[in-house]
Amino acid sequence: MEPPGFEATNVTVKRAESAYPLCEEWKDGSESSVFHLANIFLFLGFMGGSGIYGLFYVFTFLTLGYLCATLWAWADSCSATDAVLWSFALLAVCLGQVVHAVYRIRSVSFDRDFQELYNCVFKKIGVSLSQFGKIVACCEGDIRTIKKDNCFAIEGKTNIDKLSLLMSGRIRVTVNGEFLHYIYPFQFLDSPEWDSLRPSEEGVFQVTLSAENPCTYVSWRRKKLYLLFAKHRYIARIFALVVRNDIAEKLYSLNDTAFNCSGFRYDIRLPSYCHMPGTELEKSNVPMKVPVQSEMSV
């Protein structure tokens, strides 16, 4: 029996050591720039926010960070195979999330008019694009038109069965032929009427709304909108906010009160004094008594 070939074994070990050098000590110098770049991208990625655009930001930088980490682990002779595989796996996951975020952003894109509506009304109060997509779907993305001098609603005749918002143009609001105020783009046409009725109640307009120039508007049917509110309570709160804010703006627009031909003032904030002529009301030094709750209950 021949003795084992120790020389051949030593040659094999030396070859293995030359092909895969052992890392027994800490490196004296710093890591390569790719390693530092990977950590910079990861740091920026973890600084992202929420929402669909926040997700796109986060996973874009995480993808770049794990890509650099994979390249660094592959190029570094002292890195184990596990480091390369883990970095590559995380790279693939983040890249998939980026593709999914891009798909979601493209899937909730809107026409120019609805995009402008979102930017001017809903974006500034924190409504996401997906939630706004449900709002647009409720009105079926239908933008309607009103020709010049045509009426959107006629006093005492038109039923209140929808909520409408002006997209372009200008609407004139009158009562008994007397001018009240204008409605401008991105204001609701019938917010006071909408807020005055319960879901089960019916009513008619108490004012006339006519177009001073060609107008476009979008409408939500009353029943469909209440079904949307029942499914999404957050959207219901959003509409309550924007509708009542619109009513407040209309009240402020009536600070410069309108007078009819007889000199009487229209002021919906003080209905008990609407019968007084404006000049007499301004000259009157008698303090206005506001009834307290105990007197009202008597």
Side-chain angles (χ1 to χ4, degrees):
M1 181 176 180
E2 297 181 359
F6 292 104
E7 295 181 358
T9 305
N10 291 335
V11 171
T12 304
V13 172
K14 290 180 179 180
R15 289 179 179 177
E17 289 179 352
S18 61
Y20 302 98
L22 298 178
C23 299
E24 298 178 353
E25 298 179 357
W26 290 98
K27 292 183 179 180
D28 295 332
S30 61
E31 295 291 344
S32 64
S33 59
V34 179
F35 173 80
H36 297 289
L37 185 62
N39 286 277
I40 291 173
F41 282 138
L42 293 176
F43 173 78
L44 293 176
F46 289 122
M47 297 294 290
S50 59
I52 183 62
Y53 288 103
L55 291 177
F56 179 76
Y57 172 90
V58 168
F59 286 109
T60 298
F61 278 101
L62 291 184
T63 300
L64 295 175
Y66 286 120
L67 174 62
C68 294
T70 303
L71 295 176
W72 168 79
W74 181 268
D76 192 348
S77 58
C78 293
S79 297
T81 307
D82 295 344
V84 179
L85 293 178
W86 270 110
S87 299
F88 182 78
L90 293 172
L91 166 64
V93 172
C94 293
L95 184 60
Q97 290 291 338
V98 170
V99 174
H100 179 64
V102 172
Y103 172 76
R104 288 181 59 187
I105 291 174
R106 295 193 61 183
S107 64
V108 294
S109 60
F110 307 101
D111 295 337
R112 181 179 60 85
D113 293 333
F114 282 105
Q115 189 65 44
E116 189 174 0
L117 172 62
Y118 173 74
N119 294 332
C120 294
V121 179
F122 292 96
K123 183 179 181 178
K124 59 185 179 182
I125 55 178
V127 178
S128 65
L129 284 173
S130 59
Q131 292 164 340
F132 183 67
K134 295 181 177 66
I135 296 173
V136 173
C138 185
C139 69
E140 299 178 354
D142 186 18
I143 297 180
R144 305 181 183 185
T145 60
I146 309 175
K147 295 182 180 180
K148 183 179 179 180
D149 298 328
N150 285 7
C151 290
F152 171 81
I154 299 177
E155 179 181 350
K157 295 183 179 180
T158 305
N159 293 326
I160 304 171
D161 58 353
K162 56 189 175 182
L163 178 64
S164 303
L165 187 142
L166 187 65
M167 301 288 284
S168 65
R170 189 172 69 173
I171 296 291
R172 182 183 179 92
V173 182
T174 58
V175 58
N176 295 327
E178 298 295 330
F179 170 77
L180 283 183
H181 61 87
Y182 287 112
I183 298 177
Y184 297 98
F186 306 115
Q187 291 184 334
F188 286 96
L189 295 171
D190 43 8
S191 53
E193 290 78 8
W194 169 271
D195 198 58
S196 64
L197 296 179
R198 296 179 180 178
S200 58
E201 293 179 341
E202 296 182 357
V204 294
F205 279 82
Q206 301 301 312
V207 293
T208 297
L209 283 73
S210 57
E212 284 215 334
N213 45 35
C215 301
T216 60
Y217 69 97
V218 59
S219 291
W220 293 271
R221 286 293 173 182
R222 192 177 186 86
K223 292 182 179 180
K224 293 187 65 175
L225 198 53
Y226 276 118
L227 288 175
L228 180 66
F229 292 166
K231 295 179 180 178
H232 304 279
R233 301 302 301 171
Y234 178 75
I235 296 179
R237 291 193 294 269
I238 289 297
F239 263 87
L241 173 65
V242 296
V243 167
R244 290 169 186 174
N245 180 69
D246 184 82
I247 295 174
E249 290 181 355
K250 288 182 171 62
L251 287 174
Y252 278 113
S253 69
L254 290 175
N255 279 341
D256 298 329
T257 52
F259 296 88
N260 63 12
C261 58
S262 301
F264 292 96
R265 172 181 290 179
Y266 292 109
D267 193 341
I268 62 177
R269 298 168 298 172
L270 300 172
S272 59
Y273 296 97
C274 286
H275 65 281
M276 296 181 60
T279 55
E280 294 182 10
L281 183 60
E282 292 170 352
K283 294 179 181 179
S284 177
N285 294 323
V286 179
M288 298 179 182
K289 182 180 179 182
V290 179
V292 297
Q293 189 168 357
S294 59
E295 294 177 355
M296 295 175 62
S297 60
V298 176

